[in-house]
Amino acid sequence: MTENFPYLVKEIDLQVQEAQRTPNKMNPKRTTPRHIIIKMPRAKDKERILKAARERNSVTYKGIPIRLSADFSIETLQARREWQEIFKVMNAKNLQPRLLYPAKLSFRIEGQIKSFTDKEKLKEFITTKPVLYEMLKGIL
């Protein structure tokens, strides 16, 4: 961080909460650079760093160009939180729910996988499935 954003490090008092290297999803045995996931204590700091990175255009680590991505922005986290109550109910009923990136609910019903990006589309769908309607009528 001091290499790329010395003024932000002085302002923010940046302390990385957690950092871990994750293998390449396509081929874990491949010797390519790995992703580094950094969890920061405050979302505002993350947004400021990502904004500064966009303005700078190139960010380096030990002189090698790297790419920063806003994996879970504040908006994405909020959208994912909105699905949590529905997710818990479906999980209790063994519908195998999944939250896909960025904020898409997917679950298995009658042997098919259904995906929804917003609650309105889910409401329309459950009106055709009485079992789902009864399960989720208090939540939606």
Side-chain angles (χ1 to χ4, degrees):
M1 294 307 298
T2 54
E3 178 182 346
N4 295 290
F5 315 109
Y7 58 93
L8 275 181
V9 172
K10 291 175 188 172
E11 283 180 31
I12 295 177
D13 183 34
L14 182 68
Q15 297 174 352
V16 176
Q17 190 175 6
E18 173 186 345
Q20 65 188 103
R21 292 171 59 93
T22 58
N24 185 330
K25 289 183 180 181
M26 300 301 277
N27 185 356
K29 294 180 182 178
R30 194 168 159 200
T31 58
T32 59
R34 297 170 187 252
H35 300 283
I36 298 174
I37 299 171
I38 298 174
K39 190 174 184 181
M40 298 189 181
R42 291 181 298 273
K44 285 183 180 179
D45 294 346
K46 180 184 80 170
E47 294 297 327
R48 288 180 68 191
I49 289 167
L50 290 170
K51 182 180 177 187
R54 279 187 225 108
E55 290 170 358
R56 188 159 184 227
N57 291 336
S58 69
V59 180
T60 60
Y61 175 70
K62 295 182 180 177
I64 300 168
I66 62 169
R67 181 179 56 176
L68 297 179
S69 62
D71 189 32
F72 285 90
S73 65
I74 295 169
E75 296 82 17
T76 303
L77 288 173
Q78 180 60 36
R80 291 175 73 88
R81 275 188 211 112
E82 291 175 5
W83 287 114
Q84 286 303 315
E85 197 172 342
I86 296 168
F87 183 90
K88 288 176 185 175
V89 170
M90 289 183 163
N91 201 26
K93 299 293 183 177
N94 201 24
L95 292 176
Q96 301 174 352
R98 301 284 181 264
L99 278 176
L100 307 174
Y101 183 81
K104 187 176 180 181
L105 179 71
S106 170
F107 60 92
R108 184 179 297 268
I109 187 164
E110 298 172 354
Q112 294 182 335
I113 297 174
K114 299 290 182 183
S115 297
F116 300 93
T117 54
D118 60 33
K119 289 184 177 183
E120 291 303 315
K121 290 181 181 176
L122 179 61
K123 276 184 188 178
E124 291 172 17
F125 177 75
I126 68 169
T127 56
T128 63
K129 306 288 182 190
V131 175
L132 269 180
Y133 184 77
E134 285 298 315
M135 190 186 313
L136 301 173
K137 69 180 175 185
I139 299 170
L140 287 175

